[in-house]
Amino acid sequence: MKIGLSLGSGGARGYAHIGVLQVLERAGIKVDLINGSSIGAIVGGAYALYHDSKRLVSLATEVVSRAHVNYYSIFQHAQPDRHPHLRDWLLSALCDFTALRTSVLSHRTNRTALSYLFGEYRFSDTAIPFSAVAVDLITGKPVVIREGRLRDGILPSISIPGVFPPVEWDGMLLTDGGVLADVPVRELRAEGAEFVIAVRLAGEPPAPYKNGFDLLTTVDYLKGKRLSDWEVEMADFLIEIELPGYDPMRFDDSRTAIERGIRTAEAALPGLLRKLEERNA
């Protein structure tokens, strides 16, 4: 039975995926396929390549230091725990004039970080088959990327619309996979996974709206939640990680999210082992 692991989007909350991987490793659960959207694509790709969750912990710290991956200073006026996504992006839209035409920020920092993590390695070099999921703005459909250099294939998946520019790829215009496939379970099922473990990073519901921006944020959240629920319905087992108050744009505190991922996965482990045993019976 091929076990697939689908890792969801969620910005810096994605450090929690590393904690889940540590628990799965200790439990002896062998993952045969991995995919991910956005931060899930970064963590999934790194694990597929290095196959070592301990190394991912050190890489998380190193890449922030070397590539200066910390968008908190850019979004310093945002309140991500109360008003995620759209409102924060709009309020911060003048922060980076270098990419003002298409986005708030350029991909400069992202490219540096991905180059550090993946170098010249290709999808074909991974120890575990891996795919990154993005969304084509032209067709409006999810796109599975599993060929070429890892750093090139993962970049479209982390291109948060409005924050980072979309990426031209083979005649398509690609943006963040989390737009339509927050946890890309269906895409992994299509890749051949027979038992899919989905890891969703739970977003916080927005506060009651007081103005138009708040209303847009609420609508954005509700649509995203419905799409995410539709995806994870296809999973055989769901691990949902809650990180209340954790800033998804601040990447300098990996320990908190990793520990929450460990605790959540440990609590879910007995149920996961039962499900696997039932399927193997």
Side-chain angles (χ1 to χ4, degrees):
M1 180 174 66
K2 285 187 177 181
I3 298 176
L5 180 64
S6 188
L7 304 180
S9 63
R13 296 188 184 105
Y15 288 132
H17 289 319
I18 299 174
V20 173
L21 288 166
Q22 289 182 336
V23 173
L24 295 180
E25 275 187 1
R26 290 200 296 263
I29 296 174
K30 179 179 176 292
V31 174
D32 300 295
L33 299 168
I34 302 178
N35 79 346
S37 285
S38 202
I39 189 67
I42 294 177
V43 177
Y47 187 71
L49 180 63
Y50 301 113
H51 204 193
D52 183 353
S53 62
K54 291 182 179 178
R55 185 169 184 183
L56 264 59
V57 175
S58 60
L59 283 173
T61 303
E62 291 170 14
V63 74
V64 171
S65 173
R66 291 174 180 264
H68 305 291
V69 181
N70 188 353
Y71 304 110
Y72 181 74
S73 59
I74 300 296
F75 291 84
Q76 59 186 324
H77 300 297
Q79 298 177 14
D81 56 325
R82 295 185 59 220
H83 303 286
H85 308 309
L86 185 59
R87 182 184 181 189
D88 290 347
W89 302 342
L90 292 171
L91 290 175
S92 303
L94 298 178
C95 292
D96 189 336
F97 290 100
T98 63
L100 189 58
R101 291 183 181 178
T102 58
S103 59
V104 176
L105 302 174
S106 70
H107 274 307
R108 184 177 61 247
T109 298
N110 291 337
R111 291 184 188 278
T112 300
L114 291 175
S115 293
Y116 178 75
L117 284 171
F118 300 108
E120 295 297 317
Y121 285 112
R122 305 178 70 84
F123 281 81
S124 57
D125 294 323
T126 60
I128 304 170
F130 163 73
S131 57
V133 177
V135 171
D136 181 14
L137 291 172
I138 298 173
T139 64
K141 296 180 180 179
V143 174
V144 176
I145 302 172
R146 52 179 177 269
E147 295 180 347
R149 292 191 304 189
L150 284 163
R151 70 189 196 194
D152 296 333
I154 292 173
L155 183 66
S157 185
I158 66 173
S159 300
I160 303 171
V163 178
F164 302 112
V167 176
E168 294 184 11
W169 180 281
D170 195 23
M172 297 178 286
L173 192 60
L174 302 184
T175 192
D176 195 293
V179 170
L180 293 180
D182 175 45
V183 189
V185 173
R186 293 168 187 267
E187 290 71 22
L188 191 59
R189 185 77 72 186
E191 292 280 302
E194 297 167 301
F195 186 101
V196 177
I197 304 167
V199 184
R200 179 161 67 178
L201 307 170
E204 294 182 67
Y209 64 88
K210 299 178 181 179
N211 54 46
F213 284 130
D214 290 339
L215 179 57
L216 288 172
T217 299
T218 300
V219 170
D220 185 56
Y221 170 80
L222 292 174
K223 289 191 294 184
K225 181 66 163 58
R226 178 59 66 91
L227 282 170
S228 179
D229 289 344
W230 178 75
E231 277 279 355
V232 299
E233 281 175 1
M234 286 290 291
D236 296 282
F237 194 84
L238 173 63
I239 299 174
E240 187 152 29
I241 303 171
E242 296 182 357
L243 286 155
Y246 194 91
D247 187 343
M249 299 304 291
R250 188 164 189 166
F251 286 81
D252 58 356
D253 179 20
S254 60
R255 180 177 298 179
T256 299
I258 291 173
E259 289 178 352
R260 180 60 63 91
I262 291 173
R263 292 199 300 270
T264 303
E266 285 177 341
L269 186 60
L272 174 57
L273 291 173
R274 282 196 301 272
K275 279 265 190 175
L276 288 169
E277 190 174 326
E278 290 169 3
R279 287 290 296 271
N280 282 318

